[in-house]
Amino acid sequence: MDELVTGDAVVLGLRPARLPSRALAVAIDLVVAWTAYLLVSVGIALSTGALDEAAVMALSIAAFLLVLVGGPIAVETLSHGRSLGKLACGLRVVRDDGGPIRFRHALVRGAMGVVEILLSFGVVACIASLVSARGRRIGDVFAGTLVVRERVPVTHPAMVPPPPPWLAGRFAELDLSAVPDDLWLAIRQYLTRMGQLDAGVSWSMAERLAGDLAARTGAPAPQGIPSGAYLAAVVHERQARDARRAFGAPLGPTPAPVAYSVPAQVPASTPLQVPAPAPSPTPAHTPTPSEAGSPPATGFAPPA
């Protein structure tokens, strides 16, 4: 499977369309276009009975250009690459960088399609698609476009690796409101695939993404923390905020646990058990082992 890579080095999950699906889409579009052209031609023939042969021929050529050439160009421009046949087959025309096409792309594809499809009955387009590594015809090469499949098998998304435990909750005060969605997508895709990259390429991508993220948040990345760990910790913080927002919990940093201590003083209502003084200056009573093992209920030791 050939993958598309955007200008931000983000691999897109789109697959180029092959010749069978493209041929079916073109056949559907041609049937619709030729049906419209025949209806227009019949209308011209019925309404121009008083005109001479040259005028009728000029109107026929104009109808041919408008319906069979201008029609597909207008449809692809307005639908951003989804004609009726491509919509039925789950295909779409995009730029080489994965973005939607514009009028100039549709114009080049439509102009080259006259030679590739209409005049050569599709032979030139079929040969070019078979030779091309991504199934592109000559019009796609000159326009810088590619026909891709929009309906692809559903796959489970890769999980973002968790940050190191010592970074959990460290970026709770970071402002993430200015970070765009495309940057979040790039960071998530890097984190899920960084184990498949070369060490040098992975390090350079992490540095660039960390710099972009720090520029958007307004806070520089902490010194001494690897860029990959910094990205994972910030993504984890964003996921935690989304989860708290979804479940109705208050936003903000997680409160620290409160440490409770035992009161240092005994309540005044507790009576103190003080033994009576000895009648003679004899040595103080030495507690027996059984008495030593049973301390007073108040926790205080009796005076000597």
Side-chain angles (χ1 to χ4, degrees):
M1 180 185 68
D2 295 329
E3 293 178 329
L4 300 179
V5 181
T6 66
D8 295 331
V10 178
V11 181
L12 303 180
L14 301 177
R15 297 192 296 180
R18 296 304 179 185
L19 181 59
S21 58
R22 294 193 61 178
L24 179 59
V26 171
I28 296 174
D29 291 336
L30 286 178
V31 169
V32 175
W34 277 106
T35 302
Y37 174 68
L38 291 178
L39 293 178
V40 172
S41 299
V42 172
I44 292 175
L46 295 178
S47 60
T48 58
L51 298 179
D52 57 1
E53 184 177 355
V56 174
M57 182 62 65
L59 289 177
S60 300
I61 294 176
F64 176 84
L65 294 176
L66 289 176
V67 176
L68 295 179
V69 180
I73 294 175
V75 170
E76 286 193 352
T77 302
L78 297 177
S79 63
H80 299 290
R82 298 184 184 95
S83 63
L84 183 60
K86 292 180 177 63
L87 186 62
C89 297
L91 308 180
R92 182 183 180 183
V93 182
V94 297
R95 300 196 306 262
D96 282 338
D97 60 354
I101 63 172
R102 298 180 180 178
F103 172 74
R104 60 184 181 89
H105 304 97
L107 178 62
V108 175
R109 296 186 79 256
M112 295 300 300
V114 175
V115 179
E116 288 186 273
I117 300 175
L118 297 180
L119 299 182
S120 65
F121 301 98
V123 176
V124 176
C126 291
I127 295 176
S129 297
L130 291 174
V131 173
S132 175
R134 294 191 290 178
R136 301 199 299 177
R137 61 181 178 90
I138 299 178
D140 292 319
V141 176
F142 281 97
T145 57
L146 178 67
V147 180
V148 298
R149 296 178 57 186
E150 282 194 310
R151 293 197 292 263
V152 296
V154 178
T155 57
H156 297 285
M159 298 298 295
V160 177
W166 49 275
L167 281 180
R170 181 167 181 177
F171 303 101
E173 300 293 340
L174 199 62
D175 184 13
L176 305 179
S177 59
V179 182
D181 292 337
D182 55 350
L183 182 56
W184 286 122
L185 177 61
I187 294 174
R188 285 179 57 87
Q189 291 184 341
Y190 164 74
L191 291 175
T192 55
R193 303 176 186 180
M194 62 181 179
Q196 306 172 4
L197 302 175
D198 180 75
V201 176
S202 177
W203 181 84
S204 61
M205 290 184 64
E207 289 290 326
R208 183 174 63 84
L209 291 174
D212 295 342
L213 182 60
R216 295 288 185 174
T217 57
Q223 297 292 334
I225 297 179
S227 299
Y230 166 69
L231 296 174
V234 176
V235 170
H236 182 268
E237 175 61 29
R238 181 175 186 258
Q239 292 176 345
R241 295 183 185 182
D242 293 341
R244 292 196 297 268
R245 186 181 296 109
F247 290 100
L251 298 179
T254 303
V258 180
Y260 295 95
S261 59
V262 180
Q265 296 181 354
V266 180
S269 60
T270 304
L272 297 180
Q273 301 294 333
V274 181
S280 59
T282 56
H285 173 68
T286 302
T288 62
S290 60
E291 296 175 345
S294 301
T298 58
F300 289 95

mmCIF file of all heavy atoms in Angstrom, residues 11-33:
data_model
loop_
_atom_site.group_PDB
_atom_site.id
_atom_site.type_symbol
_atom_site.label_atom_id
_atom_site.label_comp_id
_atom_site.label_asym_id
_atom_site.label_seq_id
_atom_site.Cartn_x
_atom_site.Cartn_y
_atom_site.Cartn_z
ATOM 1 N N VAL A 11 1.691 10.837 7.858
ATOM 2 C CA VAL A 11 1.254 9.801 6.959
ATOM 3 C C VAL A 11 -0.257 9.693 7.037
ATOM 4 O O VAL A 11 -0.832 9.543 8.110
ATOM 5 C CB VAL A 11 1.903 8.449 7.327
ATOM 6 C CG1 VAL A 11 1.453 7.362 6.358
ATOM 7 C CG2 VAL A 11 3.420 8.568 7.287
ATOM 8 N N LEU A 12 -0.897 9.789 5.915
ATOM 9 C CA LEU A 12 -2.347 9.729 5.867
ATOM 10 C C LEU A 12 -2.800 8.302 5.628
ATOM 11 O O LEU A 12 -2.161 7.545 4.914
ATOM 12 C CB LEU A 12 -2.887 10.622 4.737
ATOM 13 C CG LEU A 12 -2.487 12.101 4.808
ATOM 14 C CD1 LEU A 12 -3.093 12.849 3.640
ATOM 15 C CD2 LEU A 12 -2.967 12.699 6.108
ATOM 16 N N GLY A 13 -3.934 7.952 6.219
ATOM 17 C CA GLY A 13 -4.469 6.612 6.076
ATOM 18 C C GLY A 13 -5.336 6.460 4.845
ATOM 19 O O GLY A 13 -6.476 6.006 4.963
ATOM 20 N N LEU A 14 -4.859 6.876 3.649
ATOM 21 C CA LEU A 14 -5.585 6.759 2.399
ATOM 22 C C LEU A 14 -4.827 5.843 1.460
ATOM 23 O O LEU A 14 -3.602 5.832 1.441
ATOM 24 C CB LEU A 14 -5.784 8.138 1.753
ATOM 25 C CG LEU A 14 -6.548 9.169 2.579
ATOM 26 C CD1 LEU A 14 -6.598 10.485 1.830
ATOM 27 C CD2 LEU A 14 -7.943 8.688 2.871
ATOM 28 N N ARG A 15 -5.581 5.121 0.638
ATOM 29 C CA ARG A 15 -4.969 4.185 -0.290
ATOM 30 C C ARG A 15 -5.287 4.601 -1.721
ATOM 31 O O ARG A 15 -6.453 4.854 -2.050
ATOM 32 C CB ARG A 15 -5.477 2.769 -0.027
ATOM 33 C CG ARG A 15 -5.112 2.244 1.344
ATOM 34 C CD ARG A 15 -5.381 0.763 1.462
ATOM 35 N NE ARG A 15 -6.798 0.452 1.334
ATOM 36 C CZ ARG A 15 -7.276 -0.785 1.401
ATOM 37 N NH1 ARG A 15 -6.451 -1.803 1.583
ATOM 38 N NH2 ARG A 15 -8.579 -0.995 1.278
ATOM 39 N N PRO A 16 -4.291 4.667 -2.595
ATOM 40 C CA PRO A 16 -4.556 5.027 -3.994
ATOM 41 C C PRO A 16 -5.478 4.019 -4.658
ATOM 42 O O PRO A 16 -5.401 2.815 -4.424
ATOM 43 C CB PRO A 16 -3.157 5.009 -4.622
ATOM 44 C CG PRO A 16 -2.208 5.202 -3.479
ATOM 45 C CD PRO A 16 -2.846 4.534 -2.310
ATOM 46 N N ALA A 17 -6.366 4.533 -5.493
ATOM 47 C CA ALA A 17 -7.302 3.670 -6.210
ATOM 48 C C ALA A 17 -6.585 2.981 -7.366
ATOM 49 O O ALA A 17 -5.693 3.551 -7.999
ATOM 50 C CB ALA A 17 -8.479 4.490 -6.727
ATOM 51 N N ARG A 18 -7.003 1.762 -7.667
ATOM 52 C CA ARG A 18 -6.422 0.980 -8.747
ATOM 53 C C ARG A 18 -7.303 1.078 -9.992
ATOM 54 O O ARG A 18 -8.385 1.647 -9.986
ATOM 55 C CB ARG A 18 -6.237 -0.467 -8.311
ATOM 56 C CG ARG A 18 -5.247 -0.619 -7.164
ATOM 57 C CD ARG A 18 -3.909 -0.024 -7.499
ATOM 58 N NE ARG A 18 -2.953 -0.121 -6.419
ATOM 59 C CZ ARG A 18 -1.735 0.413 -6.447
ATOM 60 N NH1 ARG A 18 -1.354 1.123 -7.498
ATOM 61 N NH2 ARG A 18 -0.915 0.280 -5.421
ATOM 62 N N LEU A 19 -6.822 0.466 -11.069
ATOM 63 C CA LEU A 19 -7.474 0.609 -12.369
ATOM 64 C C LEU A 19 -8.908 0.088 -12.399
ATOM 65 O O LEU A 19 -9.782 0.769 -12.972
ATOM 66 C CB LEU A 19 -6.630 -0.098 -13.439
ATOM 67 C CG LEU A 19 -7.171 -0.014 -14.867
ATOM 68 C CD1 LEU A 19 -7.298 1.433 -15.310
ATOM 69 C CD2 LEU A 19 -6.269 -0.787 -15.827
ATOM 70 N N PRO A 20 -9.246 -1.081 -11.845
ATOM 71 C CA PRO A 20 -10.642 -1.550 -11.956
ATOM 72 C C PRO A 20 -11.663 -0.585 -11.358
ATOM 73 O O PRO A 20 -12.687 -0.276 -11.990
ATOM 74 C CB PRO A 20 -10.610 -2.887 -11.207
ATOM 75 C CG PRO A 20 -9.208 -3.347 -11.306
ATOM 76 C CD PRO A 20 -8.381 -2.106 -11.226
ATOM 77 N N SER A 21 -11.406 -0.101 -10.139
ATOM 78 C CA SER A 21 -12.363 0.816 -9.517
ATOM 79 C C SER A 21 -12.411 2.146 -10.246
ATOM 80 O O SER A 21 -13.477 2.757 -10.398
ATOM 81 C CB SER A 21 -12.003 1.022 -8.045
ATOM 82 O OG SER A 21 -10.685 1.531 -7.919
ATOM 83 N N ARG A 22 -11.271 2.620 -10.733
ATOM 84 C CA ARG A 22 -11.263 3.876 -11.474
ATOM 85 C C ARG A 22 -11.989 3.731 -12.800
ATOM 86 O O ARG A 22 -12.714 4.636 -13.227
ATOM 87 C CB ARG A 22 -9.825 4.332 -11.712
ATOM 88 C CG ARG A 22 -9.072 4.713 -10.457
ATOM 89 C CD ARG A 22 -7.791 5.446 -10.790
ATOM 90 N NE ARG A 22 -8.048 6.683 -11.505
ATOM 91 C CZ ARG A 22 -7.101 7.544 -11.879
ATOM 92 N NH1 ARG A 22 -5.839 7.279 -11.601
ATOM 93 N NH2 ARG A 22 -7.403 8.641 -12.520
ATOM 94 N N ALA A 23 -11.803 2.595 -13.483
ATOM 95 C CA ALA A 23 -12.492 2.377 -14.758
ATOM 96 C C ALA A 23 -14.006 2.327 -14.563
ATOM 97 O O ALA A 23 -14.771 2.881 -15.378
ATOM 98 C CB ALA A 23 -11.990 1.089 -15.400
ATOM 99 N N LEU A 24 -14.447 1.693 -13.481
ATOM 100 C CA LEU A 24 -15.888 1.646 -13.213
ATOM 101 C C LEU A 24 -16.436 3.034 -12.935
ATOM 102 O O LEU A 24 -17.526 3.402 -13.401
ATOM 103 C CB LEU A 24 -16.159 0.714 -12.036
ATOM 104 C CG LEU A 24 -17.624 0.562 -11.605
ATOM 105 C CD1 LEU A 24 -18.460 0.035 -12.754
ATOM 106 C CD2 LEU A 24 -17.711 -0.352 -10.381
ATOM 107 N N ALA A 25 -15.693 3.843 -12.166
ATOM 108 C CA ALA A 25 -16.140 5.207 -11.885
ATOM 109 C C ALA A 25 -16.193 6.048 -13.149
ATOM 110 O O ALA A 25 -17.146 6.819 -13.368
ATOM 111 C CB ALA A 25 -15.210 5.849 -10.866
ATOM 112 N N VAL A 26 -15.188 5.911 -14.025
ATOM 113 C CA VAL A 26 -15.188 6.664 -15.283
ATOM 114 C C VAL A 26 -16.341 6.220 -16.175
ATOM 115 O O VAL A 26 -16.986 7.033 -16.846
ATOM 116 C CB VAL A 26 -13.834 6.491 -15.993
ATOM 117 C CG1 VAL A 26 -13.888 7.070 -17.405
ATOM 118 C CG2 VAL A 26 -12.729 7.177 -15.207
ATOM 119 N N ALA A 27 -16.639 4.915 -16.178
ATOM 120 C CA ALA A 27 -17.751 4.423 -16.999
ATOM 121 C C ALA A 27 -19.079 5.026 -16.531
ATOM 122 O O ALA A 27 -19.923 5.432 -17.353
ATOM 123 C CB ALA A 27 -17.797 2.906 -16.939
ATOM 124 N N ILE A 28 -19.279 5.107 -15.222
ATOM 125 C CA ILE A 28 -20.514 5.713 -14.701
ATOM 126 C C ILE A 28 -20.588 7.189 -15.079
ATOM 127 O O ILE A 28 -21.647 7.690 -15.509
ATOM 128 C CB ILE A 28 -20.593 5.522 -13.179
ATOM 129 C CG1 ILE A 28 -20.696 4.041 -12.830
ATOM 130 C CG2 ILE A 28 -21.775 6.284 -12.600
ATOM 131 C CD1 ILE A 28 -20.643 3.755 -11.345
ATOM 132 N N ASP A 29 -19.459 7.890 -14.942
ATOM 133 C CA ASP A 29 -19.452 9.309 -15.307
ATOM 134 C C ASP A 29 -19.712 9.508 -16.799
ATOM 135 O O ASP A 29 -20.417 10.451 -17.196
ATOM 136 C CB ASP A 29 -18.108 9.927 -14.925
ATOM 137 C CG ASP A 29 -17.928 10.030 -13.418
ATOM 138 O OD1 ASP A 29 -18.949 10.062 -12.705
ATOM 139 O OD2 ASP A 29 -16.767 10.062 -12.959
ATOM 140 N N LEU A 30 -19.159 8.637 -17.645
ATOM 141 C CA LEU A 30 -19.369 8.770 -19.091
ATOM 142 C C LEU A 30 -20.823 8.501 -19.467
ATOM 143 O O LEU A 30 -21.374 9.162 -20.355
ATOM 144 C CB LEU A 30 -18.440 7.823 -19.833
ATOM 145 C CG LEU A 30 -16.964 8.228 -19.877
ATOM 146 C CD1 LEU A 30 -16.143 7.172 -20.602
ATOM 147 C CD2 LEU A 30 -16.784 9.584 -20.540
ATOM 148 N N VAL A 31 -21.430 7.515 -18.830
ATOM 149 C CA VAL A 31 -22.841 7.243 -19.118
ATOM 150 C C VAL A 31 -23.693 8.452 -18.772
ATOM 151 O O VAL A 31 -24.583 8.865 -19.552
ATOM 152 C CB VAL A 31 -23.306 5.988 -18.352
ATOM 153 C CG1 VAL A 31 -24.819 5.844 -18.425
ATOM 154 C CG2 VAL A 31 -22.640 4.744 -18.908
ATOM 155 N N VAL A 32 -23.452 9.057 -17.641
ATOM 156 C CA VAL A 32 -24.219 10.238 -17.239
ATOM 157 C C VAL A 32 -23.943 11.405 -18.182
ATOM 158 O O VAL A 32 -24.874 12.116 -18.628
ATOM 159 C CB VAL A 32 -23.889 10.613 -15.784
ATOM 160 C CG1 VAL A 32 -24.581 11.907 -15.384
ATOM 161 C CG2 VAL A 32 -24.297 9.492 -14.835
ATOM 162 N N ALA A 33 -22.650 11.623 -18.531
ATOM 163 C CA ALA A 33 -22.306 12.749 -19.395
ATOM 164 C C ALA A 33 -22.866 12.578 -20.805
ATOM 165 O O ALA A 33 -23.414 13.528 -21.393
ATOM 166 C CB ALA A 33 -20.784 12.904 -19.448
#
